[in-house]
Amino acid sequence: MLPKIFFGYFAIAMVVLSLLIITRRNPVHSVLWMLVLFFHIAGLYLLLNAEFLAAVQVILYAGAILVLFLFVIMMLNLKEEISGERFEGAWPLGVSVSAIIFVLMLLTTGDFVHGPVGKYTIEVIKSETHAKALGKLLYTEYLFPFEIASLILLIAIVGAIVLAKRRS
Amino acid sequence: MVPLSWYIGLSTVIFMIGVVGFLIRRNIIVMLMSIELMLNSVNISLVAFSHYLQDLRGQILVFFIITVAASETAIGLAILVALYKNKEAVHTNEITEMKG
């Protein structure tokens, strides 16, 4: 019963926060609501026994990505930009197309069939600790994708500098 | 115990809110934030699958998604800064250079 109450709170709060994010006029308000949303997502990860991912969520998303957003918003002068019209002219079309896709997706979620379960039960993860179990898998089986991820980050750093530097 | 389908439903709802935000907003910053919203909703469903199937591979995938999201945000915001420097525009209807 208690997990259901927690899940209900998180679900309602997350939906309301997402709606706030996409409807606020000022982008700074959107970013701050998004900060609250990311903390809720971290709480949901704790509910799912993924404590290392909850920490990563708070540090990386709330700590790094949102600060990047805030930096850029504060750097641009958006005073007159935010006073205009918020939505596209054709917004009813966008909402209705999304609603159709949403109904289609909800219709399919009920038909989900469980596959065979793996070996990482809660007891195994508890005895090994979550970070160690994740690290073992990441540095053995997923070593090559891990190296590709580092390459993606390097390209992102170089690309961001090249794109944003002042033309001389 | 919360059923798995609740998590998938929550993930679907947040994903579609992200899609709506991307389609209807004019401000590019909010559109980038909608993309983050969609990526996060997928992360929720992956972690839920990982928990219920007792397999850590879903959480490994979440790591890679976070990596790609961070790179995407950095590049997107750099493009936005370059755009603002050249055109003083952050709204999609003010950027019409590529129109035939």
Side-chain angles (χ1 to χ4, degrees):
Chain A
M1 191 59 205
L2 200 58
K4 280 186 179 165
I5 295 172
F6 272 111
F7 179 85
Y9 162 69
F10 280 123
I12 293 167
M14 281 159 76
V15 170
V16 170
L17 286 168
S18 318
L19 286 173
L20 281 174
I21 289 167
I22 65 162
T23 51
R24 290 306 92 190
R25 184 181 290 277
N26 192 336
V28 177
H29 295 176
S30 295
V31 171
L32 293 178
W33 287 122
M34 201 157 199
L35 182 68
V36 184
L37 175 77
F38 285 163
F39 276 104
H40 278 81
I41 292 177
L44 204 64
Y45 288 171
L46 284 182
L47 202 62
L48 286 166
N49 290 316
E51 62 264 17
F52 187 70
L53 277 183
V56 166
Q57 174 83 15
V58 170
I59 294 169
L60 251 173
Y61 267 114
I65 295 182
L66 285 188
V67 170
L68 201 63
F69 268 108
L70 272 183
F71 255 114
V72 171
I73 294 171
M74 303 280 185
M75 226 159 64
L76 310 179
N77 183 20
L78 295 178
K79 275 280 176 298
E80 69 275 9
E81 301 281 350
I82 61 174
S83 58
E85 187 61 38
R86 255 181 289 185
F87 302 122
E88 290 281 358
W91 67 267
L93 187 66
V95 173
S96 43
V97 169
S98 311
I100 293 168
I101 301 173
F102 175 61
V103 171
L104 285 178
M105 282 168 87
L106 272 194
L107 286 179
T108 56
T109 51
D111 297 332
F112 177 70
V113 182
H114 241 264
V117 294
K119 59 175 179 172
Y120 287 97
T121 57
I122 296 173
E123 286 73 36
V124 171
I125 294 176
K126 248 185 198 163
S127 67
E128 211 173 354
T129 72
H130 185 237
K132 190 178 172 189
L134 264 184
K136 261 188 188 166
L137 207 57
L138 188 63
Y139 289 119
T140 55
E141 200 173 325
Y142 287 89
L143 188 61
F144 187 58
F146 181 74
E147 297 293 338
I148 295 175
S150 69
L151 198 65
I152 291 175
L153 282 176
L154 179 71
I155 293 169
I157 295 168
V158 175
I161 294 171
V162 168
L163 281 170
K165 81 169 182 212
R166 194 171 288 280
R167 303 272 186 283
S168 55
Chain B
M1 197 69 173
V2 185
L4 175 58
S5 55
W6 290 19
Y7 283 101
I8 305 174
L10 174 66
S11 169
T12 313
V13 171
I14 295 176
F15 185 86
M16 288 324 290
I17 292 174
V19 171
V20 169
F22 187 82
L23 287 177
I24 69 173
R25 286 300 294 249
R26 289 167 65 235
N27 195 325
I28 296 182
I29 300 171
V30 183
M31 288 168 74
L32 276 174
M33 283 163 61
S34 302
I35 296 176
E36 295 298 317
L37 214 59
M38 290 190 252
L39 289 167
N40 267 292
S41 74
V42 174
N43 282 355
I44 292 170
S45 70
L46 277 175
V47 175
F49 279 131
S50 161
H51 178 68
Y52 282 91
L53 295 176
Q54 296 173 356
D55 197 329
L56 281 180
R57 285 178 179 79
Q59 302 187 16
I60 301 282
L61 266 178
V62 171
F63 267 110
F64 294 133
I65 291 179
I66 290 177
T67 312
V68 172
S71 324
E72 175 255 318
T73 310
I75 298 277
L77 289 173
I79 292 174
L80 185 65
V81 169
L83 192 69
Y84 192 77
K85 260 189 215 154
N86 290 329
K87 286 190 55 65
E88 298 259 319
V90 291
H91 287 157
T92 45
N93 55 351
E94 291 159 358
I95 307 156
T96 50
E97 266 67 46
M98 304 272 276
K99 227 175 198 171

